[in-house]
mmCIF file with all atom_site columns, all heavy atoms in Angstrom:
data_model
loop_
_atom_site.group_PDB
_atom_site.id
_atom_site.type_symbol
_atom_site.label_atom_id
_atom_site.label_alt_id
_atom_site.label_comp_id
_atom_site.label_asym_id
_atom_site.label_entity_id
_atom_site.label_seq_id
_atom_site.pdbx_PDB_ins_code
_atom_site.Cartn_x
_atom_site.Cartn_y
_atom_site.Cartn_z
_atom_site.occupancy
_atom_site.B_iso_or_equiv
_atom_site.pdbx_formal_charge
_atom_site.auth_seq_id
_atom_site.auth_comp_id
_atom_site.auth_asym_id
_atom_site.auth_atom_id
_atom_site.pdbx_PDB_model_num
ATOM 1   N N   . TRP S 1 33  ? 112.882 115.473 109.537 1.00 0.00 ? 69  TRP S N   1
ATOM 2   C CA  . TRP S 1 33  ? 113.997 115.894 108.747 1.00 0.00 ? 69  TRP S CA  1
ATOM 3   C C   . TRP S 1 33  ? 113.493 116.395 107.404 1.00 0.00 ? 69  TRP S C   1
ATOM 4   O O   . TRP S 1 33  ? 112.386 115.882 106.933 1.00 0.00 ? 69  TRP S O   1
ATOM 5   C CB  . TRP S 1 33  ? 114.932 114.755 108.511 1.00 0.00 ? 69  TRP S CB  1
ATOM 6   C CG  . TRP S 1 33  ? 115.760 114.246 109.647 1.00 0.00 ? 69  TRP S CG  1
ATOM 7   C CD1 . TRP S 1 33  ? 115.625 114.492 110.955 1.00 0.00 ? 69  TRP S CD1 1
ATOM 8   C CD2 . TRP S 1 33  ? 116.665 113.232 109.538 1.00 0.00 ? 69  TRP S CD2 1
ATOM 9   N NE1 . TRP S 1 33  ? 116.477 113.750 111.694 1.00 0.00 ? 69  TRP S NE1 1
ATOM 10  C CE2 . TRP S 1 33  ? 117.155 112.953 110.906 1.00 0.00 ? 69  TRP S CE2 1
ATOM 11  C CE3 . TRP S 1 33  ? 117.190 112.397 108.541 1.00 0.00 ? 69  TRP S CE3 1
ATOM 12  C CZ2 . TRP S 1 33  ? 118.125 111.953 111.169 1.00 0.00 ? 69  TRP S CZ2 1
ATOM 13  C CZ3 . TRP S 1 33  ? 118.181 111.445 108.820 1.00 0.00 ? 69  TRP S CZ3 1
ATOM 14  C CH2 . TRP S 1 33  ? 118.655 111.277 110.196 1.00 0.00 ? 69  TRP S CH2 1
ATOM 15  N N   . ASP S 1 99  ? 111.585 113.853 105.052 1.00 0.00 ? 135 ASP S N   1
ATOM 16  C CA  . ASP S 1 99  ? 112.179 112.496 105.249 1.00 0.00 ? 135 ASP S CA  1
ATOM 17  C C   . ASP S 1 99  ? 111.400 111.498 105.944 1.00 0.00 ? 135 ASP S C   1
ATOM 18  O O   . ASP S 1 99  ? 110.689 111.837 106.799 1.00 0.00 ? 135 ASP S O   1
ATOM 19  C CB  . ASP S 1 99  ? 113.538 112.752 105.944 1.00 0.00 ? 135 ASP S CB  1
ATOM 20  C CG  . ASP S 1 99  ? 114.322 111.529 106.035 1.00 0.00 ? 135 ASP S CG  1
ATOM 21  O OD1 . ASP S 1 99  ? 114.035 110.619 106.937 1.00 0.00 ? 135 ASP S OD1 1
ATOM 22  O OD2 . ASP S 1 99  ? 115.297 111.320 105.265 1.00 0.00 ? 135 ASP S OD2 1
ATOM 23  N N   . GLN S 1 100 ? 111.460 110.292 105.502 1.00 0.00 ? 136 GLN S N   1
ATOM 24  C CA  . GLN S 1 100 ? 110.988 109.205 106.220 1.00 0.00 ? 136 GLN S CA  1
ATOM 25  C C   . GLN S 1 100 ? 111.832 108.023 106.059 1.00 0.00 ? 136 GLN S C   1
ATOM 26  O O   . GLN S 1 100 ? 112.134 107.616 104.855 1.00 0.00 ? 136 GLN S O   1
ATOM 27  C CB  . GLN S 1 100 ? 109.497 108.824 105.824 1.00 0.00 ? 136 GLN S CB  1
ATOM 28  C CG  . GLN S 1 100 ? 108.765 107.850 106.766 1.00 0.00 ? 136 GLN S CG  1
ATOM 29  C CD  . GLN S 1 100 ? 107.345 107.705 106.377 1.00 0.00 ? 136 GLN S CD  1
ATOM 30  O OE1 . GLN S 1 100 ? 107.043 107.296 105.182 1.00 0.00 ? 136 GLN S OE1 1
ATOM 31  N NE2 . GLN S 1 100 ? 106.384 107.889 107.281 1.00 0.00 ? 136 GLN S NE2 1
ATOM 32  N N   . TYR S 1 101 ? 112.209 107.274 107.031 1.00 0.00 ? 137 TYR S N   1
ATOM 33  C CA  . TYR S 1 101 ? 113.112 106.188 107.028 1.00 0.00 ? 137 TYR S CA  1
ATOM 34  C C   . TYR S 1 101 ? 114.359 106.540 106.196 1.00 0.00 ? 137 TYR S C   1
ATOM 35  O O   . TYR S 1 101 ? 114.896 105.644 105.438 1.00 0.00 ? 137 TYR S O   1
ATOM 36  C CB  . TYR S 1 101 ? 112.470 104.986 106.286 1.00 0.00 ? 137 TYR S CB  1
ATOM 37  C CG  . TYR S 1 101 ? 111.143 104.613 106.915 1.00 0.00 ? 137 TYR S CG  1
ATOM 38  C CD1 . TYR S 1 101 ? 109.947 104.567 106.213 1.00 0.00 ? 137 TYR S CD1 1
ATOM 39  C CD2 . TYR S 1 101 ? 111.029 104.374 108.391 1.00 0.00 ? 137 TYR S CD2 1
ATOM 40  C CE1 . TYR S 1 101 ? 108.652 104.268 106.727 1.00 0.00 ? 137 TYR S CE1 1
ATOM 41  C CE2 . TYR S 1 101 ? 109.775 104.006 108.880 1.00 0.00 ? 137 TYR S CE2 1
ATOM 42  C CZ  . TYR S 1 101 ? 108.647 103.953 108.067 1.00 0.00 ? 137 TYR S CZ  1
ATOM 43  O OH  . TYR S 1 101 ? 107.422 103.720 108.652 1.00 0.00 ? 137 TYR S OH  1
ATOM 44  N N   . ARG S 1 102 ? 114.904 107.711 106.425 1.00 0.00 ? 138 ARG S N   1
ATOM 45  C CA  . ARG S 1 102 ? 116.252 108.266 105.840 1.00 0.00 ? 138 ARG S CA  1
ATOM 46  C C   . ARG S 1 102 ? 116.083 108.166 104.226 1.00 0.00 ? 138 ARG S C   1
ATOM 47  O O   . ARG S 1 102 ? 116.849 107.439 103.598 1.00 0.00 ? 138 ARG S O   1
ATOM 48  C CB  . ARG S 1 102 ? 117.376 107.288 106.262 1.00 0.00 ? 138 ARG S CB  1
ATOM 49  C CG  . ARG S 1 102 ? 117.807 107.589 107.703 1.00 0.00 ? 138 ARG S CG  1
ATOM 50  C CD  . ARG S 1 102 ? 119.095 106.697 108.077 1.00 0.00 ? 138 ARG S CD  1
ATOM 51  N NE  . ARG S 1 102 ? 120.193 107.163 107.602 1.00 0.00 ? 138 ARG S NE  1
ATOM 52  C CZ  . ARG S 1 102 ? 121.113 107.871 108.179 1.00 0.00 ? 138 ARG S CZ  1
ATOM 53  N NH1 . ARG S 1 102 ? 120.886 108.130 109.544 1.00 0.00 ? 138 ARG S NH1 1
ATOM 54  N NH2 . ARG S 1 102 ? 122.247 108.156 107.662 1.00 0.00 ? 138 ARG S NH2 1
ATOM 55  N N   . GLY S 1 103 ? 115.124 108.920 103.836 1.00 0.00 ? 139 GLY S N   1
ATOM 56  C CA  . GLY S 1 103 ? 114.951 109.048 102.383 1.00 0.00 ? 139 GLY S CA  1
ATOM 57  C C   . GLY S 1 103 ? 113.882 110.041 102.106 1.00 0.00 ? 139 GLY S C   1
ATOM 58  O O   . GLY S 1 103 ? 112.826 110.052 102.818 1.00 0.00 ? 139 GLY S O   1
ATOM 59  N N   . PRO S 1 104 ? 113.929 110.864 101.027 1.00 0.00 ? 140 PRO S N   1
ATOM 60  C CA  . PRO S 1 104 ? 112.841 111.663 100.662 1.00 0.00 ? 140 PRO S CA  1
ATOM 61  C C   . PRO S 1 104 ? 111.583 110.864 100.365 1.00 0.00 ? 140 PRO S C   1
ATOM 62  O O   . PRO S 1 104 ? 111.534 110.045 99.498  1.00 0.00 ? 140 PRO S O   1
ATOM 63  C CB  . PRO S 1 104 ? 113.357 112.421 99.419  1.00 0.00 ? 140 PRO S CB  1
ATOM 64  C CG  . PRO S 1 104 ? 114.830 112.261 99.416  1.00 0.00 ? 140 PRO S CG  1
ATOM 65  C CD  . PRO S 1 104 ? 115.028 110.874 100.102 1.00 0.00 ? 140 PRO S CD  1
ATOM 66  N N   . VAL S 1 105 ? 110.394 111.325 100.934 1.00 0.00 ? 141 VAL S N   1
ATOM 67  C CA  . VAL S 1 105 ? 109.227 110.576 100.775 1.00 0.00 ? 141 VAL S CA  1
ATOM 68  C C   . VAL S 1 105 ? 108.152 111.482 100.183 1.00 0.00 ? 141 VAL S C   1
ATOM 69  O O   . VAL S 1 105 ? 108.232 112.657 100.366 1.00 0.00 ? 141 VAL S O   1
ATOM 70  C CB  . VAL S 1 105 ? 108.730 110.050 102.143 1.00 0.00 ? 141 VAL S CB  1
ATOM 71  C CG1 . VAL S 1 105 ? 108.307 111.181 102.957 1.00 0.00 ? 141 VAL S CG1 1
ATOM 72  C CG2 . VAL S 1 105 ? 107.579 108.905 102.001 1.00 0.00 ? 141 VAL S CG2 1
ATOM 73  N N   . THR W 2 36  ? 119.882 98.904  106.178 1.00 0.00 ? 121 THR W N   1
ATOM 74  C CA  . THR W 2 36  ? 120.499 99.338  104.925 1.00 0.00 ? 121 THR W CA  1
ATOM 75  C C   . THR W 2 36  ? 119.691 100.330 104.201 1.00 0.00 ? 121 THR W C   1
ATOM 76  O O   . THR W 2 36  ? 118.479 100.059 103.849 1.00 0.00 ? 121 THR W O   1
ATOM 77  C CB  . THR W 2 36  ? 120.704 98.151  103.988 1.00 0.00 ? 121 THR W CB  1
ATOM 78  O OG1 . THR W 2 36  ? 121.554 97.188  104.642 1.00 0.00 ? 121 THR W OG1 1
ATOM 79  C CG2 . THR W 2 36  ? 121.458 98.528  102.629 1.00 0.00 ? 121 THR W CG2 1
ATOM 80  N N   . TYR W 2 37  ? 120.111 101.584 104.108 1.00 0.00 ? 122 TYR W N   1
ATOM 81  C CA  . TYR W 2 37  ? 119.231 102.675 103.613 1.00 0.00 ? 122 TYR W CA  1
ATOM 82  C C   . TYR W 2 37  ? 119.409 103.003 102.098 1.00 0.00 ? 122 TYR W C   1
ATOM 83  O O   . TYR W 2 37  ? 120.090 103.940 101.751 1.00 0.00 ? 122 TYR W O   1
ATOM 84  C CB  . TYR W 2 37  ? 119.597 103.989 104.465 1.00 0.00 ? 122 TYR W CB  1
ATOM 85  C CG  . TYR W 2 37  ? 119.113 103.761 105.939 1.00 0.00 ? 122 TYR W CG  1
ATOM 86  C CD1 . TYR W 2 37  ? 120.163 103.516 106.908 1.00 0.00 ? 122 TYR W CD1 1
ATOM 87  C CD2 . TYR W 2 37  ? 117.838 103.827 106.203 1.00 0.00 ? 122 TYR W CD2 1
ATOM 88  C CE1 . TYR W 2 37  ? 119.662 103.349 108.215 1.00 0.00 ? 122 TYR W CE1 1
ATOM 89  C CE2 . TYR W 2 37  ? 117.448 103.561 107.645 1.00 0.00 ? 122 TYR W CE2 1
ATOM 90  C CZ  . TYR W 2 37  ? 118.364 103.338 108.607 1.00 0.00 ? 122 TYR W CZ  1
ATOM 91  O OH  . TYR W 2 37  ? 117.996 103.140 109.878 1.00 0.00 ? 122 TYR W OH  1
ATOM 92  N N   . LEU W 2 38  ? 118.857 102.061 101.440 1.00 0.00 ? 123 LEU W N   1
ATOM 93  C CA  . LEU W 2 38  ? 118.760 102.142 99.997  1.00 0.00 ? 123 LEU W CA  1
ATOM 94  C C   . LEU W 2 38  ? 117.350 102.353 99.508  1.00 0.00 ? 123 LEU W C   1
ATOM 95  O O   . LEU W 2 38  ? 116.419 101.648 99.825  1.00 0.00 ? 123 LEU W O   1
ATOM 96  C CB  . LEU W 2 38  ? 119.309 100.851 99.327  1.00 0.00 ? 123 LEU W CB  1
ATOM 97  C CG  . LEU W 2 38  ? 119.641 100.804 97.796  1.00 0.00 ? 123 LEU W CG  1
ATOM 98  C CD1 . LEU W 2 38  ? 118.355 100.548 96.978  1.00 0.00 ? 123 LEU W CD1 1
ATOM 99  C CD2 . LEU W 2 38  ? 120.354 102.021 97.286  1.00 0.00 ? 123 LEU W CD2 1
ATOM 100 N N   . ASN W 2 39  ? 117.076 103.459 98.778  1.00 0.00 ? 124 ASN W N   1
ATOM 101 C CA  . ASN W 2 39  ? 115.814 103.857 98.218  1.00 0.00 ? 124 ASN W CA  1
ATOM 102 C C   . ASN W 2 39  ? 115.720 103.757 96.764  1.00 0.00 ? 124 ASN W C   1
ATOM 103 O O   . ASN W 2 39  ? 116.760 103.906 96.068  1.00 0.00 ? 124 ASN W O   1
ATOM 104 C CB  . ASN W 2 39  ? 115.512 105.384 98.512  1.00 0.00 ? 124 ASN W CB  1
ATOM 105 C CG  . ASN W 2 39  ? 115.590 105.671 100.118 1.00 0.00 ? 124 ASN W CG  1
ATOM 106 O OD1 . ASN W 2 39  ? 114.585 105.442 100.778 1.00 0.00 ? 124 ASN W OD1 1
ATOM 107 N ND2 . ASN W 2 39  ? 116.656 106.087 100.604 1.00 0.00 ? 124 ASN W ND2 1
ATOM 108 N N   . ARG W 2 51  ? 108.938 108.197 95.505  1.00 0.00 ? 136 ARG W N   1
ATOM 109 C CA  . ARG W 2 51  ? 109.605 107.100 96.016  1.00 0.00 ? 136 ARG W CA  1
ATOM 110 C C   . ARG W 2 51  ? 108.838 105.801 96.051  1.00 0.00 ? 136 ARG W C   1
ATOM 111 O O   . ARG W 2 51  ? 107.596 105.757 96.360  1.00 0.00 ? 136 ARG W O   1
ATOM 112 C CB  . ARG W 2 51  ? 110.021 107.289 97.572  1.00 0.00 ? 136 ARG W CB  1
ATOM 113 C CG  . ARG W 2 51  ? 111.062 106.282 98.117  1.00 0.00 ? 136 ARG W CG  1
ATOM 114 C CD  . ARG W 2 51  ? 111.591 106.663 99.401  1.00 0.00 ? 136 ARG W CD  1
ATOM 115 N NE  . ARG W 2 51  ? 110.654 106.441 100.479 1.00 0.00 ? 136 ARG W NE  1
ATOM 116 C CZ  . ARG W 2 51  ? 110.914 106.557 101.736 1.00 0.00 ? 136 ARG W CZ  1
ATOM 117 N NH1 . ARG W 2 51  ? 112.147 106.986 102.111 1.00 0.00 ? 136 ARG W NH1 1
ATOM 118 N NH2 . ARG W 2 51  ? 109.913 106.397 102.682 1.00 0.00 ? 136 ARG W NH2 1
ATOM 119 N N   . TYR W 2 54  ? 111.929 101.831 100.213 1.00 0.00 ? 139 TYR W N   1
ATOM 120 C CA  . TYR W 2 54  ? 112.882 102.236 101.129 1.00 0.00 ? 139 TYR W CA  1
ATOM 121 C C   . TYR W 2 54  ? 113.441 101.133 101.895 1.00 0.00 ? 139 TYR W C   1
ATOM 122 O O   . TYR W 2 54  ? 112.898 99.965  101.941 1.00 0.00 ? 139 TYR W O   1
ATOM 123 C CB  . TYR W 2 54  ? 112.237 103.311 102.180 1.00 0.00 ? 139 TYR W CB  1
ATOM 124 C CG  . TYR W 2 54  ? 111.140 102.711 103.055 1.00 0.00 ? 139 TYR W CG  1
ATOM 125 C CD1 . TYR W 2 54  ? 111.365 102.163 104.283 1.00 0.00 ? 139 TYR W CD1 1
ATOM 126 C CD2 . TYR W 2 54  ? 109.827 102.747 102.574 1.00 0.00 ? 139 TYR W CD2 1
ATOM 127 C CE1 . TYR W 2 54  ? 110.412 101.529 105.075 1.00 0.00 ? 139 TYR W CE1 1
ATOM 128 C CE2 . TYR W 2 54  ? 108.847 102.170 103.312 1.00 0.00 ? 139 TYR W CE2 1
ATOM 129 C CZ  . TYR W 2 54  ? 109.033 101.537 104.582 1.00 0.00 ? 139 TYR W CZ  1
ATOM 130 O OH  . TYR W 2 54  ? 108.073 101.109 105.259 1.00 0.00 ? 139 TYR W OH  1
ATOM 131 N N   . LYS W 2 55  ? 114.651 101.302 102.398 1.00 0.00 ? 140 LYS W N   1
ATOM 132 C CA  . LYS W 2 55  ? 115.351 100.191 103.176 1.00 0.00 ? 140 LYS W CA  1
ATOM 133 C C   . LYS W 2 55  ? 115.356 98.895  102.327 1.00 0.00 ? 140 LYS W C   1
ATOM 134 O O   . LYS W 2 55  ? 114.999 97.866  102.824 1.00 0.00 ? 140 LYS W O   1
ATOM 135 C CB  . LYS W 2 55  ? 114.833 99.984  104.537 1.00 0.00 ? 140 LYS W CB  1
ATOM 136 C CG  . LYS W 2 55  ? 115.115 101.191 105.536 1.00 0.00 ? 140 LYS W CG  1
ATOM 137 C CD  . LYS W 2 55  ? 115.196 100.862 107.004 1.00 0.00 ? 140 LYS W CD  1
ATOM 138 C CE  . LYS W 2 55  ? 113.755 100.565 107.501 1.00 0.00 ? 140 LYS W CE  1
ATOM 139 N NZ  . LYS W 2 55  ? 113.875 100.322 108.943 1.00 0.00 ? 140 LYS W NZ  1
ATOM 140 N N   . ASN W 2 58  ? 111.283 97.561  101.244 1.00 0.00 ? 143 ASN W N   1
ATOM 141 C CA  . ASN W 2 58  ? 109.895 98.034  101.779 1.00 0.00 ? 143 ASN W CA  1
ATOM 142 C C   . ASN W 2 58  ? 109.202 98.945  100.795 1.00 0.00 ? 143 ASN W C   1
ATOM 143 O O   . ASN W 2 58  ? 109.717 100.027 100.514 1.00 0.00 ? 143 ASN W O   1
ATOM 144 C CB  . ASN W 2 58  ? 110.193 98.745  103.060 1.00 0.00 ? 143 ASN W CB  1
ATOM 145 C CG  . ASN W 2 58  ? 110.780 97.842  104.089 1.00 0.00 ? 143 ASN W CG  1
ATOM 146 O OD1 . ASN W 2 58  ? 110.049 97.097  104.796 1.00 0.00 ? 143 ASN W OD1 1
ATOM 147 N ND2 . ASN W 2 58  ? 112.086 97.781  104.204 1.00 0.00 ? 143 ASN W ND2 1
ATOM 148 N N   . ASP W 2 60  ? 106.698 101.727 99.484  1.00 0.00 ? 145 ASP W N   1
ATOM 149 C CA  . ASP W 2 60  ? 105.906 102.871 100.091 1.00 0.00 ? 145 ASP W CA  1
ATOM 150 C C   . ASP W 2 60  ? 104.356 102.680 99.826  1.00 0.00 ? 145 ASP W C   1
ATOM 151 O O   . ASP W 2 60  ? 103.969 101.864 98.996  1.00 0.00 ? 145 ASP W O   1
ATOM 152 C CB  . ASP W 2 60  ? 106.371 104.233 99.486  1.00 0.00 ? 145 ASP W CB  1
ATOM 153 C CG  . ASP W 2 60  ? 107.599 104.796 100.145 1.00 0.00 ? 145 ASP W CG  1
ATOM 154 O OD1 . ASP W 2 60  ? 107.500 105.372 101.243 1.00 0.00 ? 145 ASP W OD1 1
ATOM 155 O OD2 . ASP W 2 60  ? 108.729 104.619 99.577  1.00 0.00 ? 145 ASP W OD2 1
ATOM 156 N N   . ALA W 2 96  ? 121.128 106.410 101.467 1.00 0.00 ? 181 ALA W N   1
ATOM 157 C CA  . ALA W 2 96  ? 120.991 107.368 102.564 1.00 0.00 ? 181 ALA W CA  1
ATOM 158 C C   . ALA W 2 96  ? 121.673 106.806 103.801 1.00 0.00 ? 181 ALA W C   1
ATOM 159 O O   . ALA W 2 96  ? 121.260 107.093 105.011 1.00 0.00 ? 181 ALA W O   1
ATOM 160 C CB  . ALA W 2 96  ? 119.545 107.626 102.874 1.00 0.00 ? 181 ALA W CB  1
ATOM 161 N N   . TYR W 2 101 ? 124.368 111.917 101.020 1.00 0.00 ? 186 TYR W N   1
ATOM 162 C CA  . TYR W 2 101 ? 123.550 111.093 100.358 1.00 0.00 ? 186 TYR W CA  1
ATOM 163 C C   . TYR W 2 101 ? 123.792 111.188 98.833  1.00 0.00 ? 186 TYR W C   1
ATOM 164 O O   . TYR W 2 101 ? 124.242 112.191 98.344  1.00 0.00 ? 186 TYR W O   1
ATOM 165 C CB  . TYR W 2 101 ? 122.097 111.460 100.468 1.00 0.00 ? 186 TYR W CB  1
ATOM 166 C CG  . TYR W 2 101 ? 121.530 111.139 101.920 1.00 0.00 ? 186 TYR W CG  1
ATOM 167 C CD1 . TYR W 2 101 ? 120.149 111.572 102.226 1.00 0.00 ? 186 TYR W CD1 1
ATOM 168 C CD2 . TYR W 2 101 ? 122.345 110.479 102.965 1.00 0.00 ? 186 TYR W CD2 1
ATOM 169 C CE1 . TYR W 2 101 ? 119.726 111.305 103.528 1.00 0.00 ? 186 TYR W CE1 1
ATOM 170 C CE2 . TYR W 2 101 ? 121.714 110.409 104.206 1.00 0.00 ? 186 TYR W CE2 1
ATOM 171 C CZ  . TYR W 2 101 ? 120.449 110.694 104.451 1.00 0.00 ? 186 TYR W CZ  1
ATOM 172 O OH  . TYR W 2 101 ? 119.943 110.509 105.659 1.00 0.00 ? 186 TYR W OH  1
#
Side-chain angles (χ1 to χ4, degrees):
Chain S
W69 292 4
D135 183 280
Q136 190 176 56
Y137 308 123
R138 289 178 75 104
V141 70
Chain W
T121 300
Y122 294 103
L123 188 284
N124 301 276
R136 192 172 70 177
Y139 62 92
K140 290 203 290 184
N143 296 272
D145 276 284
Y186 290 176

